[in-house]
């Protein structure tokens, strides 16, 4: 029997099955706690609901880049076999970039789920990084990119088109700073970043570029981690208004909110499961469901609802669990 993923998802609709939250930490104690928290929440949810990205760019002290890269290798190699660990290296034009990649990809590339490239300006930066990662022995390791300047936003579609790019994130702080004061500081805030026209345009360009090429748009930092109401409002807008399917966390308190707000509701999951089972029984031909015509365009949407539910550890009806069990039995990444 054909699987919904094979029937419904084309290149543009398949953005990949990666967790909706990407948690960043760069200080040793916090990196260790992040990995421990990931293990605990994986057991709680029955799925790994967030990546842990160990940060070299902002985490490494100036002059201590080699030592920090060695620490990151130690942590990645010491993580549980089913852990999802990534690393943000230095930008490709930074003196520490080559050393970062040689050490981290060379020694721990097989334990990483991706490498994050900050300050990507053009597709050539991705290509340079891909060659370095492959030369270090981590052939084919996915790359993610951080868009942080007006020029990079202009090239977002070309960057997203690179076959090694898995996801693009928006670097809000550097983007605002790159405008030389033309964007006020409020543009970096929890509300201003959703209202200032230049910031809004950048977010939408990145999201659209990702969806155009089947990549994952990842919303960046919201620094107001103590104001949970404001943070939740921001995460909700990122998911529901700006088209982002993944978001950064910089504090453990943000993780659960991201997982919750980027997950479909119980009612959405139930409807998606019932509708898709009816469609499958009809051989994926158009059907009438709740008095409305449904076809493969809507089937695709509802299948993505179920994939997000699975990624976020939401309870699934029996018929939906059977589809994901079938994927795992075939050796696919659910």
């Amino acid at each position: 029997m054909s699987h919904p993923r094979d029937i419904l998802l084309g290149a543009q609709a398949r953005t990949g099955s990666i967790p909706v939250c990407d948690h960043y930490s760069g200080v040793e104690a916090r990196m260790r706690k992040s990995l421990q928290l990931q293990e605990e929440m994986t057991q709680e949810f029955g799925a790994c609901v967030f990546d842990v990205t160990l940060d070299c760019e902002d985490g490494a002290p100036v002059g201590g880049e080699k030592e920090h890269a060695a620490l990151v290798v130690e942590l990645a190699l010491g993580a549980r076999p089913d852990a999802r660990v990534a690393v943000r290296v230095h930008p490709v034009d930074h003196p520490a970039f080559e050393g970062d990649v040689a050490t981290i990809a060379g020694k721990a590339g097989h334990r990483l789920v991706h490498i994050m490239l900050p300050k990507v300006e053009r597709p050539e930066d991705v290509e340079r990084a891909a060659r370095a990662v492959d030369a270090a022995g981590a052939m084919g390791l996915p790359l993610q990119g951080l868009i942080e300047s007006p020029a990079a936003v202009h090239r977002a579609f070309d960057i997203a088109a690179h076959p090694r790019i898995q996801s693009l994130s928006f670097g809000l702080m550097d983007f605002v700073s790159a405008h030389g004061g033309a964007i006020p500081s409020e543009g970096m805030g929890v509300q201003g970043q959703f209202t200032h026209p230049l910031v809004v345009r950048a977010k939408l360009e990145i999201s659209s570029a990702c969806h155009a090429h089947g990549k994952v748009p990842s919303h960046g930092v919201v620094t107001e981690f103590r104001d949970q109401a404001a943070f939740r409002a921001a995460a909700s807008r990122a998911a529901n208004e700006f088209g982002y399917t993944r978001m950064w966390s910089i504090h453990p308190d943000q993780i659960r909110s991201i997982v919750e707000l980027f997950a479909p509701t119980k009612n959405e999951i139930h409807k998606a499961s019932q509708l898709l089972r009816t469609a499958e029984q009809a051989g994926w031909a158009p059907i009438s469901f709740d008095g409305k015509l449904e076809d493969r365009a809507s089937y695709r949407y509802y299948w993505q609802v179920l994939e997000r539910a699975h990624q976020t550890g939401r309870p699934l009806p029996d018929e939906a669990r059977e589809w994901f069990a079938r994927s795992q039995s075939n050796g696919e990444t659910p």
Side-chain angles (χ1 to χ4, degrees):
M1 185 178 294
S2 299
H3 195 282
R5 183 179 291 119
D6 299 326
I7 294 292
L8 303 176
L9 298 186
Q12 288 181 308
R14 181 186 288 275
T15 60
S17 297
I18 61 176
V20 299
C21 180
D22 192 6
H23 182 64
Y24 275 71
S25 53
V27 177
E28 180 177 359
R30 292 173 185 168
M31 291 191 287
R32 293 186 185 277
K33 288 181 179 178
S34 298
L35 291 168
Q36 178 62 35
L37 181 60
Q38 185 190 68
E39 179 181 346
E40 294 170 359
M41 290 184 65
T42 297
Q43 294 175 358
E44 175 185 349
F45 284 86
C48 186
V49 294
F50 69 95
D51 288 344
V52 171
T53 297
L54 309 176
D55 192 8
C56 290
E57 185 190 23
D58 290 340
V62 176
E65 290 87 358
K66 290 182 180 180
E67 292 78 8
H68 195 79
L71 172 62
V72 163
V73 168
E74 174 194 336
L75 294 174
L77 293 178
R80 288 173 57 89
D82 59 348
R84 287 187 57 90
V85 185
V87 176
R88 176 165 69 167
V89 296
H90 286 84
V92 295
D93 59 355
H94 191 282
F97 170 75
E98 299 290 347
D100 277 355
V101 172
T103 298
I104 296 166
K107 297 180 179 179
H110 63 290
R111 296 301 308 276
L112 302 180
V113 293
H114 70 263
I115 284 180
M116 168 59 77
L117 306 173
K119 297 178 173 58
V120 173
E121 288 291 313
R122 55 189 64 82
E124 290 79 6
D125 293 342
V126 181
E127 187 61 31
R128 175 180 172 181
R131 289 196 301 267
V133 169
D134 290 349
M139 294 289 295
L141 181 64
L143 304 177
Q144 298 190 8
L146 190 53
I147 304 298
E148 305 183 65
S149 75
V153 170
H154 176 69
R155 304 184 187 106
F157 280 79
D158 293 334
I159 295 169
H162 195 285
R164 286 291 285 277
I165 284 290
Q166 180 185 61
S167 172
L168 290 181
S169 299
F170 178 48
L172 172 66
M173 309 302 179
D174 281 280
F175 178 81
V176 171
S177 298
H179 285 76
I183 300 176
S185 61
E186 288 80 5
M188 295 184 286
V190 69
Q191 295 180 352
Q193 65 172 291
F194 291 99
T195 57
H196 192 283
L198 286 173
V199 180
V200 168
R201 173 181 173 273
K203 288 188 180 188
L204 294 176
E205 284 290 301
I206 293 166
S207 176
S208 182
C210 286
H211 289 297
H213 292 288
K215 310 301 171 68
V216 176
S218 182
H219 193 276
V221 172
V222 173
T223 57
E224 289 85 349
F225 57 85
R226 296 194 183 278
D227 187 341
Q228 274 294 307
F231 177 78
R232 288 175 64 85
S236 179
R237 295 196 71 180
N240 296 314
E241 297 178 31
F242 285 75
Y244 284 82
T245 58
R246 179 170 159 100
M247 186 170 180
W248 287 32
S249 161
I250 57 170
H251 190 280
D253 290 347
Q254 296 179 330
I255 296 173
R256 288 182 184 273
S257 291
I258 293 172
V259 172
E260 175 191 345
L261 293 165
F262 278 70
T265 66
K266 183 178 180 180
N267 287 341
E268 287 175 318
I269 295 169
H270 177 75
K271 179 178 179 179
S273 180
Q274 294 297 311
L275 188 151
L276 290 173
R277 183 59 69 188
T278 303
E280 184 181 49
Q281 292 169 352
W284 305 106
I287 62 170
S288 174
F289 188 87
D290 284 347
K292 180 182 176 183
L293 176 66
E294 306 284 359
D295 59 17
R296 290 196 188 184
S298 57
Y299 301 162
R300 181 179 302 118
Y301 170 83
Y302 287 109
W303 174 250
Q304 291 165 334
V305 167
L306 292 184
E307 288 204 314
R308 283 191 293 117
H310 185 70
Q311 292 164 14
T312 51
R314 304 295 100 169
L316 292 172
D318 290 342
E319 58 267 26
R321 284 202 300 270
E322 188 273 332
W323 281 318
F324 290 101
R326 200 192 312 166
S327 294
Q328 290 175 301
S329 67
N330 292 335
E332 300 174 18
T333 301

